Amino acid sequence: MKNFSELSEQELLALAITLEEEDNRIYTAYAYRLRDDYPDTARMLTAMADEESEHRHHLLDLYRAKFGDFIPLIRRQDVKGFVERRPVWLAPTLGIDKVRDQVGVMEAETRRFYLRAAQQSRDAAIRQLLGDLAAEESRHETRAGELEATLVPAGVRAQESEAQRRLFVLQIVQPGLAGLMDGSVSTLAPLFAAAFATLNSWETLLVGLAAAIGAGISMGFAEALSDNGSLTGRGSPLLRGLICGAMTTLGGLGHALPYLIPDFHTATALAVAVVLVELGLIAWIRKRYMDTPLVSAVLQVVLGGVLVFLTGILIGSA
């Protein structure tokens, strides 16, 4: 690995060509990944990829004039000082805000590279081109905002934000909410049945742990196997399964853990309080993300929870 200051002018140009090729392909990849959900932002990214391709052609023309046709392969990872880029474009899900942030970072980094390379070069033609490209990258940052304003007007941006919200609801909120509801409600009956049958905190805790973990494993597999997300847009089945399973377990553990308290009556009072908090949280999530009126959400969740709770008490007290 070389220090930046050790690069020759030939190597500086070769590295610049590689960087422009990389940026062009990244923007193209972003555009390809976003084309279905965010078509206007995809057009903006395609326009930026075309500009990077134009920069590359300018660099190639000067390189051939100075050094011939052979271009050594020099990449950012071969030179000390470059910030390592996380392969965001390879992530299973690609948030539009993350893409826009990454684009800004890429443009700023490329501009700094050209400024330093121009300062290091002693060849007038190379120095001029690198300086021009630094200025172009600076304008590119501004142009990215202009392109976004032109190709992604306010109404479209609002639509894309709404589309992103819908994807978040489909891929994260829905499986998480399903798990939390199942874990918080379905485990009430076995937990409180055990509680009132044994009047023993430790034994009740064991039943609660078994119910919570077992339900989490079951719900996780059920969600992951429900569909692969290719047609429904619900995203990675593995991610959905993990979210659903984790939230199911968490929902069941919430009212099981109070039975760590040895005193049975204190533990039961605390467990009932936790159940009320869980049901309130579920109702709020349904209102916030599922557009369910708060009164309807509270009635649906609380009514179901109370029925299961009473079922557990009746069975345990029999």
Side-chain angles (χ1 to χ4, degrees):
M1 183 178 290
K2 272 192 171 185
N3 290 317
F4 186 85
S5 59
E6 298 173 349
L7 296 178
S8 66
E9 290 174 330
Q10 180 182 12
E11 291 169 334
L12 284 173
L13 281 182
L15 177 58
I17 291 168
T18 301
L19 293 178
E20 293 292 354
E21 289 175 345
E22 180 181 295
D23 287 355
N24 169 269
R25 297 187 70 174
I26 290 173
Y27 289 147
T28 302
Y30 282 150
Y32 180 80
R33 293 282 300 278
L34 297 176
R35 70 193 187 285
D36 292 331
D37 297 319
Y38 311 106
D40 292 276
T41 295
R43 288 198 300 125
M44 179 194 79
L45 292 165
T46 299
M48 295 179 70
D50 292 340
E51 291 203 7
E52 301 299 346
S53 180
E54 184 179 343
H55 295 173
R56 174 177 168 273
H57 284 299
H58 291 321
L59 289 163
L60 282 170
D61 290 340
L62 180 59
Y63 185 94
R64 290 193 185 99
K66 293 288 183 180
F67 306 109
D69 291 329
F70 172 72
I71 304 176
L73 177 61
I74 303 179
R75 303 157 299 178
R76 63 173 47 249
Q77 57 263 41
D78 302 325
V79 180
K80 293 180 181 178
F82 277 98
V83 177
E84 182 181 354
R85 287 182 181 172
R86 295 178 58 199
V88 178
W89 51 94
L90 296 179
T93 56
L94 199 59
I96 193 168
D97 291 330
K98 184 177 291 186
V99 169
R100 288 172 177 162
D101 290 343
Q102 182 72 5
V103 167
V105 171
M106 288 169 60
E107 292 300 325
E109 184 183 50
T110 304
R111 178 174 58 83
R112 287 196 300 271
F113 163 74
Y114 281 131
L115 285 173
R116 288 196 57 195
Q119 293 170 358
Q120 188 168 316
S121 176
R122 296 293 175 264
D123 183 283
I126 295 176
R127 189 184 184 94
Q128 179 179 346
L129 177 60
L130 294 176
D132 290 344
L133 288 175
E136 182 65 24
E137 291 296 337
S138 181
R139 288 192 296 271
H140 205 169
E141 293 181 67
T142 304
R143 190 175 295 116
E146 295 171 353
L147 283 170
E148 184 173 353
T150 303
L151 299 177
V152 192
V156 172
R157 195 176 299 112
Q159 292 174 5
E160 292 185 343
S161 297
E162 177 59 22
Q164 187 176 24
R165 190 189 78 86
R166 288 197 300 269
L167 288 174
F168 175 73
V169 170
L170 278 174
Q171 298 172 1
I172 305 297
V173 175
Q174 280 190 355
L177 181 60
L180 185 60
M181 289 181 64
D182 186 84
S184 298
V185 176
S186 69
T187 58
L188 289 176
L191 179 78
F192 286 102
F196 283 88
T198 65
L199 301 179
N200 182 282
S201 288
W202 179 249
E203 292 179 3
T204 302
L205 175 64
L206 293 180
V207 172
L209 291 177
I213 296 171
I217 294 172
S218 175
M219 285 292 290
F221 273 101
E223 178 62 36
L225 297 175
S226 61
D227 70 75
N228 62 11
S230 60
L231 295 178
T232 60
R234 298 181 67 211
S236 166
L238 177 61
L239 177 62
R240 294 197 328 270
L242 289 173
I243 291 172
C244 186
M247 293 306 293
T248 302
T249 302
L250 183 63
L253 288 177
H255 43 259
L257 292 180
Y259 285 97
L260 286 169
I261 300 172
D263 183 75
F264 173 78
H265 296 290
T266 302
T268 300
L270 182 56
V272 171
V274 171
V275 169
L276 294 176
V277 172
E278 290 172 347
L279 296 179
L281 178 61
I282 292 170
W284 179 83
I285 294 174
R286 286 176 60 83
K287 176 186 180 298
R288 174 69 176 81
Y289 292 102
M290 311 303 291
D291 298 323
T292 305
L294 183 59
V295 175
S296 298
V298 170
L299 287 176
Q300 293 167 7
V301 173
V302 172
L303 179 60
V306 168
L307 288 176
V308 176
F309 174 71
L310 292 176
T311 299
I313 293 177
L314 289 173
I315 294 174
S317 303

Short mmCIF file of all heavy atoms in Angstrom, two decimals, residues 246-294:
data_model
loop_
_atom_site.label_atom_id
_atom_site.label_comp_id
_atom_site.label_asym_id
_atom_site.label_seq_id
_atom_site.Cartn_x
_atom_site.Cartn_y
_atom_site.Cartn_z
N ALA A 246 -38.08 -12.15 17.66
CA ALA A 246 -37.52 -11.39 18.78
C ALA A 246 -38.62 -10.63 19.52
O ALA A 246 -38.65 -10.60 20.76
CB ALA A 246 -36.45 -10.43 18.28
N MET A 247 -39.52 -9.99 18.77
CA MET A 247 -40.58 -9.22 19.41
C MET A 247 -41.58 -10.13 20.12
O MET A 247 -42.15 -9.76 21.15
CB MET A 247 -41.29 -8.35 18.37
CG MET A 247 -40.42 -7.24 17.80
SD MET A 247 -39.69 -6.18 19.06
CE MET A 247 -41.16 -5.39 19.72
N THR A 248 -41.82 -11.33 19.57
CA THR A 248 -42.70 -12.28 20.27
C THR A 248 -42.10 -12.68 21.61
O THR A 248 -42.79 -12.69 22.64
CB THR A 248 -42.91 -13.54 19.40
OG1 THR A 248 -43.46 -13.18 18.14
CG2 THR A 248 -43.84 -14.52 20.09
N THR A 249 -40.82 -13.01 21.60
CA THR A 249 -40.14 -13.39 22.84
C THR A 249 -40.15 -12.23 23.83
O THR A 249 -40.42 -12.42 25.03
CB THR A 249 -38.70 -13.81 22.54
OG1 THR A 249 -38.70 -14.91 21.61
CG2 THR A 249 -37.98 -14.24 23.81
N LEU A 250 -39.86 -11.03 23.33
CA LEU A 250 -39.85 -9.85 24.21
C LEU A 250 -41.22 -9.61 24.83
O LEU A 250 -41.33 -9.30 26.02
CB LEU A 250 -39.41 -8.62 23.41
CG LEU A 250 -39.27 -7.32 24.18
CD1 LEU A 250 -38.18 -7.44 25.23
CD2 LEU A 250 -38.95 -6.16 23.23
N GLY A 251 -42.28 -9.75 24.00
CA GLY A 251 -43.62 -9.55 24.52
C GLY A 251 -43.97 -10.55 25.60
O GLY A 251 -44.63 -10.20 26.59
N GLY A 252 -43.53 -11.79 25.45
CA GLY A 252 -43.80 -12.80 26.48
C GLY A 252 -42.96 -12.62 27.72
O GLY A 252 -43.42 -12.84 28.85
N LEU A 253 -41.71 -12.19 27.54
CA LEU A 253 -40.82 -12.02 28.70
C LEU A 253 -41.25 -10.86 29.58
O LEU A 253 -40.99 -10.86 30.78
CB LEU A 253 -39.38 -11.78 28.21
CG LEU A 253 -38.65 -12.98 27.62
CD1 LEU A 253 -37.28 -12.56 27.13
CD2 LEU A 253 -38.52 -14.10 28.65
N GLY A 254 -41.89 -9.85 28.96
CA GLY A 254 -42.25 -8.65 29.72
C GLY A 254 -43.03 -8.95 30.98
O GLY A 254 -42.74 -8.40 32.05
N HIS A 255 -44.04 -9.82 30.87
CA HIS A 255 -44.84 -10.10 32.08
C HIS A 255 -44.42 -11.41 32.75
O HIS A 255 -45.04 -11.81 33.74
CB HIS A 255 -46.34 -10.14 31.73
CG HIS A 255 -46.66 -10.87 30.47
ND1 HIS A 255 -46.93 -10.23 29.29
CD2 HIS A 255 -46.74 -12.18 30.20
CE1 HIS A 255 -47.19 -11.11 28.34
NE2 HIS A 255 -47.07 -12.31 28.88
N ALA A 256 -43.39 -12.08 32.24
CA ALA A 256 -42.86 -13.26 32.92
C ALA A 256 -41.75 -12.88 33.91
O ALA A 256 -41.64 -13.45 35.01
CB ALA A 256 -42.33 -14.27 31.91
N LEU A 257 -40.92 -11.92 33.53
CA LEU A 257 -39.76 -11.55 34.37
C LEU A 257 -40.13 -11.02 35.75
O LEU A 257 -39.34 -11.17 36.69
CB LEU A 257 -38.89 -10.54 33.62
CG LEU A 257 -38.16 -11.09 32.38
CD1 LEU A 257 -37.33 -10.01 31.72
CD2 LEU A 257 -37.27 -12.28 32.78
N PRO A 258 -41.30 -10.36 35.93
CA PRO A 258 -41.63 -9.95 37.31
C PRO A 258 -41.65 -11.11 38.30
O PRO A 258 -41.48 -10.90 39.51
CB PRO A 258 -43.03 -9.33 37.15
CG PRO A 258 -43.03 -8.79 35.76
CD PRO A 258 -42.24 -9.78 34.95
N TYR A 259 -41.82 -12.34 37.81
CA TYR A 259 -41.85 -13.48 38.72
C TYR A 259 -40.45 -13.90 39.18
O TYR A 259 -40.31 -14.92 39.87
CB TYR A 259 -42.61 -14.65 38.08
CG TYR A 259 -44.10 -14.40 38.10
CD1 TYR A 259 -44.74 -13.89 36.99
CD2 TYR A 259 -44.84 -14.63 39.25
CE1 TYR A 259 -46.11 -13.62 37.01
CE2 TYR A 259 -46.21 -14.38 39.29
CZ TYR A 259 -46.83 -13.87 38.17
OH TYR A 259 -48.19 -13.60 38.21
N LEU A 260 -39.46 -13.11 38.83
CA LEU A 260 -38.16 -13.25 39.49
C LEU A 260 -38.26 -12.82 40.95
O LEU A 260 -37.40 -13.17 41.78
CB LEU A 260 -37.10 -12.41 38.75
CG LEU A 260 -36.61 -12.94 37.41
CD1 LEU A 260 -35.79 -11.88 36.68
CD2 LEU A 260 -35.77 -14.21 37.62
N ILE A 261 -39.28 -12.00 41.23
CA ILE A 261 -39.51 -11.56 42.61
C ILE A 261 -40.09 -12.74 43.41
O ILE A 261 -41.10 -13.32 43.01
CB ILE A 261 -40.49 -10.38 42.64
CG1 ILE A 261 -39.91 -9.20 41.84
CG2 ILE A 261 -40.81 -9.96 44.07
CD1 ILE A 261 -40.89 -8.06 41.65
N PRO A 262 -39.48 -13.12 44.49
CA PRO A 262 -39.94 -14.31 45.25
C PRO A 262 -41.37 -14.18 45.79
O PRO A 262 -42.12 -15.14 45.80
CB PRO A 262 -38.93 -14.43 46.40
CG PRO A 262 -37.72 -13.72 45.89
CD PRO A 262 -38.23 -12.60 45.05
N ASP A 263 -41.74 -12.95 46.23
CA ASP A 263 -43.08 -12.77 46.77
C ASP A 263 -44.11 -12.85 45.64
O ASP A 263 -44.13 -12.02 44.73
CB ASP A 263 -43.19 -11.43 47.48
CG ASP A 263 -44.56 -11.24 48.12
OD1 ASP A 263 -44.83 -11.85 49.16
OD2 ASP A 263 -45.38 -10.49 47.52
N PHE A 264 -44.99 -13.84 45.71
CA PHE A 264 -45.92 -14.12 44.61
C PHE A 264 -46.87 -12.96 44.34
O PHE A 264 -47.10 -12.58 43.19
CB PHE A 264 -46.73 -15.39 44.93
CG PHE A 264 -47.82 -15.66 43.94
CD1 PHE A 264 -47.54 -16.22 42.70
CD2 PHE A 264 -49.14 -15.33 44.23
CE1 PHE A 264 -48.55 -16.46 41.77
CE2 PHE A 264 -50.16 -15.57 43.31
CZ PHE A 264 -49.85 -16.12 42.07
N HIS A 265 -47.44 -12.38 45.40
CA HIS A 265 -48.43 -11.33 45.22
C HIS A 265 -47.81 -10.06 44.63
O HIS A 265 -48.40 -9.41 43.75
CB HIS A 265 -49.12 -11.03 46.55
CG HIS A 265 -49.88 -12.19 47.08
ND1 HIS A 265 -51.06 -12.65 46.51
CD2 HIS A 265 -49.63 -13.03 48.14
CE1 HIS A 265 -51.50 -13.69 47.18
NE2 HIS A 265 -50.66 -13.96 48.18
N THR A 266 -46.60 -9.70 45.08
CA THR A 266 -45.90 -8.55 44.51
C THR A 266 -45.57 -8.79 43.04
O THR A 266 -45.76 -7.90 42.19
CB THR A 266 -44.60 -8.28 45.29
OG1 THR A 266 -44.92 -8.05 46.66
CG2 THR A 266 -43.88 -7.07 44.72
N ALA A 267 -45.08 -9.99 42.74
CA ALA A 267 -44.73 -10.32 41.36
C ALA A 267 -45.96 -10.27 40.45
O ALA A 267 -45.90 -9.76 39.33
CB ALA A 267 -44.09 -11.71 41.31
N THR A 268 -47.09 -10.79 40.94
CA THR A 268 -48.30 -10.80 40.12
C THR A 268 -48.80 -9.38 39.87
O THR A 268 -49.22 -9.04 38.75
CB THR A 268 -49.40 -11.63 40.82
OG1 THR A 268 -48.93 -12.97 40.98
CG2 THR A 268 -50.67 -11.64 39.99
N ALA A 269 -48.77 -8.53 40.89
CA ALA A 269 -49.20 -7.14 40.71
C ALA A 269 -48.33 -6.43 39.67
O ALA A 269 -48.84 -5.70 38.80
CB ALA A 269 -49.15 -6.40 42.05
N LEU A 270 -47.02 -6.66 39.76
CA LEU A 270 -46.12 -6.05 38.78
C LEU A 270 -46.36 -6.61 37.38
O LEU A 270 -46.34 -5.88 36.38
CB LEU A 270 -44.66 -6.28 39.20
CG LEU A 270 -43.59 -5.65 38.30
CD1 LEU A 270 -43.80 -4.14 38.17
CD2 LEU A 270 -42.19 -5.96 38.83
N ALA A 271 -46.60 -7.91 37.27
CA ALA A 271 -46.85 -8.53 35.97
C ALA A 271 -48.10 -7.96 35.33
O ALA A 271 -48.15 -7.69 34.12
CB ALA A 271 -46.97 -10.05 36.12
N VAL A 272 -49.16 -7.74 36.13
CA VAL A 272 -50.40 -7.14 35.61
C VAL A 272 -50.12 -5.72 35.10
O VAL A 272 -50.62 -5.32 34.04
CB VAL A 272 -51.50 -7.14 36.68
CG1 VAL A 272 -52.70 -6.33 36.22
CG2 VAL A 272 -51.92 -8.57 37.01
N ALA A 273 -49.31 -4.96 35.83
CA ALA A 273 -48.96 -3.60 35.41
C ALA A 273 -48.20 -3.62 34.08
O ALA A 273 -48.44 -2.80 33.19
CB ALA A 273 -48.14 -2.90 36.49
N VAL A 274 -47.29 -4.58 33.95
CA VAL A 274 -46.53 -4.71 32.71
C VAL A 274 -47.46 -5.06 31.55
O VAL A 274 -47.31 -4.52 30.44
CB VAL A 274 -45.42 -5.78 32.85
CG1 VAL A 274 -44.78 -6.08 31.50
CG2 VAL A 274 -44.36 -5.32 33.84
N VAL A 275 -48.43 -5.92 31.79
CA VAL A 275 -49.39 -6.29 30.74
C VAL A 275 -50.13 -5.06 30.25
O VAL A 275 -50.32 -4.86 29.04
CB VAL A 275 -50.38 -7.35 31.26
CG1 VAL A 275 -51.54 -7.53 30.27
CG2 VAL A 275 -49.67 -8.67 31.49
N LEU A 276 -50.55 -4.20 31.16
CA LEU A 276 -51.27 -2.99 30.77
C LEU A 276 -50.38 -2.08 29.91
O LEU A 276 -50.84 -1.50 28.93
CB LEU A 276 -51.74 -2.24 32.02
CG LEU A 276 -52.81 -2.96 32.86
CD1 LEU A 276 -53.13 -2.17 34.12
CD2 LEU A 276 -54.07 -3.19 32.04
N VAL A 277 -49.11 -1.96 30.29
CA VAL A 277 -48.17 -1.15 29.50
C VAL A 277 -47.99 -1.76 28.11
O VAL A 277 -47.99 -1.04 27.10
CB VAL A 277 -46.81 -1.04 30.21
CG1 VAL A 277 -45.78 -0.38 29.30
CG2 VAL A 277 -46.95 -0.25 31.50
N GLU A 278 -47.86 -3.07 28.05
CA GLU A 278 -47.68 -3.75 26.75
C GLU A 278 -48.89 -3.53 25.85
O GLU A 278 -48.74 -3.21 24.66
CB GLU A 278 -47.48 -5.24 26.97
CG GLU A 278 -46.16 -5.61 27.60
CD GLU A 278 -46.09 -7.08 27.98
OE1 GLU A 278 -47.16 -7.74 27.99
OE2 GLU A 278 -44.98 -7.57 28.26
N LEU A 279 -50.08 -3.67 26.41
CA LEU A 279 -51.29 -3.49 25.60
C LEU A 279 -51.42 -2.05 25.13
O LEU A 279 -51.83 -1.79 23.99
CB LEU A 279 -52.53 -3.90 26.41
CG LEU A 279 -52.60 -5.39 26.81
CD1 LEU A 279 -53.86 -5.66 27.61
CD2 LEU A 279 -52.54 -6.29 25.58
N GLY A 280 -51.05 -1.10 25.99
CA GLY A 280 -51.08 0.31 25.58
C GLY A 280 -50.08 0.59 24.47
O GLY A 280 -50.36 1.35 23.53
N LEU A 281 -48.88 -0.01 24.56
CA LEU A 281 -47.86 0.18 23.53
C LEU A 281 -48.33 -0.40 22.19
O LEU A 281 -48.14 0.22 21.14
CB LEU A 281 -46.56 -0.50 23.96
CG LEU A 281 -45.39 -0.44 22.97
CD1 LEU A 281 -44.99 1.00 22.69
CD2 LEU A 281 -44.20 -1.24 23.49
N ILE A 282 -48.95 -1.57 22.24
CA ILE A 282 -49.45 -2.18 21.00
C ILE A 282 -50.52 -1.29 20.37
O ILE A 282 -50.53 -1.08 19.15
CB ILE A 282 -50.01 -3.58 21.29
CG1 ILE A 282 -48.88 -4.53 21.68
CG2 ILE A 282 -50.75 -4.13 20.07
CD1 ILE A 282 -49.36 -5.86 22.22
N ALA A 283 -51.42 -0.75 21.18
CA ALA A 283 -52.47 0.12 20.66
C ALA A 283 -51.86 1.37 20.02
O ALA A 283 -52.30 1.82 18.96
CB ALA A 283 -53.43 0.52 21.78
N TRP A 284 -50.81 1.93 20.65
CA TRP A 284 -50.17 3.13 20.10
C TRP A 284 -49.50 2.82 18.77
O TRP A 284 -49.58 3.61 17.82
CB TRP A 284 -49.14 3.67 21.08
CG TRP A 284 -48.43 4.88 20.54
CD1 TRP A 284 -48.86 6.18 20.57
CD2 TRP A 284 -47.17 4.90 19.85
NE1 TRP A 284 -47.95 7.00 19.95
CE2 TRP A 284 -46.90 6.24 19.49
CE3 TRP A 284 -46.25 3.91 19.50
CZ2 TRP A 284 -45.75 6.62 18.81
CZ3 TRP A 284 -45.10 4.28 18.82
CH2 TRP A 284 -44.85 5.62 18.49
N ILE A 285 -48.82 1.68 18.67
CA ILE A 285 -48.16 1.30 17.41
C ILE A 285 -49.18 1.11 16.30
O ILE A 285 -48.98 1.53 15.16
CB ILE A 285 -47.33 0.01 17.61
CG1 ILE A 285 -46.16 0.27 18.55
CG2 ILE A 285 -46.81 -0.50 16.26
CD1 ILE A 285 -45.37 -0.97 18.92
N ARG A 286 -50.31 0.50 16.63
CA ARG A 286 -51.37 0.31 15.63
C ARG A 286 -51.89 1.65 15.14
O ARG A 286 -52.15 1.83 13.95
CB ARG A 286 -52.50 -0.53 16.21
CG ARG A 286 -52.16 -2.02 16.34
CD ARG A 286 -53.29 -2.78 17.00
NE ARG A 286 -54.52 -2.68 16.24
CZ ARG A 286 -54.82 -3.45 15.19
NH1 ARG A 286 -53.97 -4.37 14.78
NH2 ARG A 286 -55.98 -3.30 14.56
N LYS A 287 -52.02 2.60 16.05
CA LYS A 287 -52.47 3.94 15.64
C LYS A 287 -51.41 4.66 14.83
O LYS A 287 -51.69 5.28 13.81
CB LYS A 287 -52.82 4.77 16.88
CG LYS A 287 -53.22 6.22 16.53
CD LYS A 287 -53.42 7.05 17.76
CE LYS A 287 -53.80 8.50 17.39
NZ LYS A 287 -52.74 9.17 16.60
N ARG A 288 -50.16 4.55 15.27
CA ARG A 288 -49.07 5.32 14.65
C ARG A 288 -48.73 4.81 13.26
O ARG A 288 -48.52 5.61 12.34
CB ARG A 288 -47.83 5.23 15.55
CG ARG A 288 -46.56 5.87 14.99
CD ARG A 288 -46.70 7.37 14.92
NE ARG A 288 -45.47 7.99 14.48
CZ ARG A 288 -45.06 8.08 13.22
NH1 ARG A 288 -45.82 7.58 12.26
NH2 ARG A 288 -43.92 8.66 12.91
N TYR A 289 -48.68 3.50 13.08
CA TYR A 289 -48.19 2.96 11.81
C TYR A 289 -49.26 2.25 10.98
O TYR A 289 -49.08 2.10 9.77
CB TYR A 289 -47.04 1.97 12.07
CG TYR A 289 -45.81 2.65 12.59
CD1 TYR A 289 -45.48 2.59 13.95
CD2 TYR A 289 -44.96 3.36 11.74
CE1 TYR A 289 -44.34 3.21 14.43
CE2 TYR A 289 -43.82 3.99 12.22
CZ TYR A 289 -43.52 3.91 13.57
OH TYR A 289 -42.40 4.53 14.05
N MET A 290 -50.33 1.80 11.61
CA MET A 290 -51.35 1.06 10.87
C MET A 290 -52.60 1.88 10.62
O MET A 290 -53.61 1.36 10.11
CB MET A 290 -51.72 -0.23 11.64
CG MET A 290 -50.52 -1.06 12.09
SD MET A 290 -49.45 -1.56 10.73
CE MET A 290 -50.49 -2.72 9.87
N ASP A 291 -52.55 3.17 11.00
CA ASP A 291 -53.67 4.09 10.77
C ASP A 291 -54.97 3.60 11.39
O ASP A 291 -56.06 3.83 10.87
CB ASP A 291 -53.87 4.32 9.26
CG ASP A 291 -52.65 4.96 8.61
OD1 ASP A 291 -52.03 5.80 9.26
OD2 ASP A 291 -52.33 4.60 7.46
N THR A 292 -54.86 2.92 12.53
CA THR A 292 -56.04 2.47 13.25
C THR A 292 -56.44 3.55 14.26
O THR A 292 -55.58 4.03 15.01
CB THR A 292 -55.76 1.16 14.01
OG1 THR A 292 -55.27 0.18 13.09
CG2 THR A 292 -57.01 0.64 14.68
N PRO A 293 -57.71 3.99 14.27
CA PRO A 293 -58.13 4.99 15.28
C PRO A 293 -57.77 4.50 16.68
O PRO A 293 -57.91 3.31 16.99
CB PRO A 293 -59.64 5.07 15.07
CG PRO A 293 -59.86 4.66 13.65
CD PRO A 293 -58.81 3.62 13.37
N LEU A 294 -57.32 5.43 17.52
CA LEU A 294 -56.81 5.05 18.84
C LEU A 294 -57.87 4.32 19.67
O LEU A 294 -57.57 3.31 20.32
CB LEU A 294 -56.34 6.30 19.60
CG LEU A 294 -55.73 6.04 20.99
CD1 LEU A 294 -54.53 5.12 20.87
CD2 LEU A 294 -55.34 7.35 21.66
#
